[in-house]
Amino acid sequence: DQQVKQNSPSLSVQEGRISILNCDYTNSMFDYFLWYKKYPAEGPTFLISISSIKDKNEDGRFTVFLNKSAKHLSLHIVPSQPGDSAVYFCAASMNYGGSQGNLIFGKGTKLSVKP
Amino acid sequence: GAGVSQSPSNKVTEKGKDVELRCDPISGHTALYWYRQSLGQGLEFLIYFQGNSAPDKSGLPSDRFSAERTGGSVSTLTIQRTQQEDSAVYLCASSLSRLNAEAFFGQGTRLTVV
């Protein structure tokens, strides 16, 4: 059963507009969340993360929001640029509790930013 | 180099053969992960090493899969008697420690079983 879900396999956005990528999780023990970006034929690259003690983390054009009660997080990219076109993976981890340290990934959302 | 290095970058093998995939993590990183990505799928966790602790093997899909990490550095993922469903991109990642989940990925090994 999937513990991290990205229900939208793809998203198309116009350049300059906001991209919102969503992620849901089922395990309340997750306490650290990350977003990765992946271009074809390359490994995923870390984008931004958030600890469960926060509800927002911002880095330039990228902002991650965490709603613990809803077990939901989202990545906002504004303004979107054509170079942002990639597959975005949401990941979760139990950093401070439990026995797991591995990252659990969603299936990804393919973002296309059109000029 | 400064990043995670994987070899080979591509591997084509015949069904039933054994393969070994290698990962050189970033120097000083104590945590090492193996994932695979099948066509059209997400990243599937395989195995996780953290320092000298026993590895978390809970993601290995069958007993044909095994992995070692020698000296807390280089790791080898071995697939015995390969099957066509093993075809995927195998990704290795490393991170500073268990408390830093920001993992850095290699470019992956594309395995094709014919």
Side-chain angles (χ1 to χ4, degrees), chain B:
Chain B
V4 177
S5 177
Q6 292 186 246
S7 61
S9 54
N10 278 284
K11 175 75 177 176
V12 180
T13 189
E14 290 182 354
K15 178 180 170 181
K17 301 278 190 183
D18 298 351
V19 294
E20 282 191 355
L21 312 179
R22 177 187 168 103
C23 173
D24 282 274
I26 294 173
S27 177
H29 280 193
T30 61
L32 186 147
Y33 315 75
W34 282 99
Y35 290 85
R36 73 175 175 183
Q37 186 178 21
S38 303
L39 190 63
Q41 299 298 311
L43 293 168
E44 177 189 4
F45 166 72
L46 296 177
I47 188 168
Y48 163 67
F49 296 89
Q50 173 53 54
N52 295 320
S53 303
D56 176 356
K57 303 180 182 181
S58 60
L60 294 178
S62 77
D63 59 9
R64 297 187 294 106
F65 288 72
S66 62
E68 289 186 342
R69 189 178 185 193
T70 53
S73 181
V74 171
S75 178
T76 303
L77 177 70
T78 302
I79 309 173
Q80 296 178 308
R81 305 181 303 281
T82 51
Q83 303 295 312
Q84 286 186 328
E85 62 263 28
D86 299 335
S87 297
V89 176
Y90 288 81
L91 291 158
C92 175
S94 69
S95 67
L96 270 175
S97 73
R98 179 179 179 274
L99 294 182
N100 180 349
E102 181 185 320
F104 295 85
F105 281 82
Q107 288 197 321
T109 294
R110 180 174 294 278
L111 175 67
T112 304
V113 182
V114 297

Side-chain angles (χ1 to χ4, degrees), chain A residues 11 32 41 64 79 113:
Chain A
L11 174 67
Y32 197 68
V64 55
V113 180

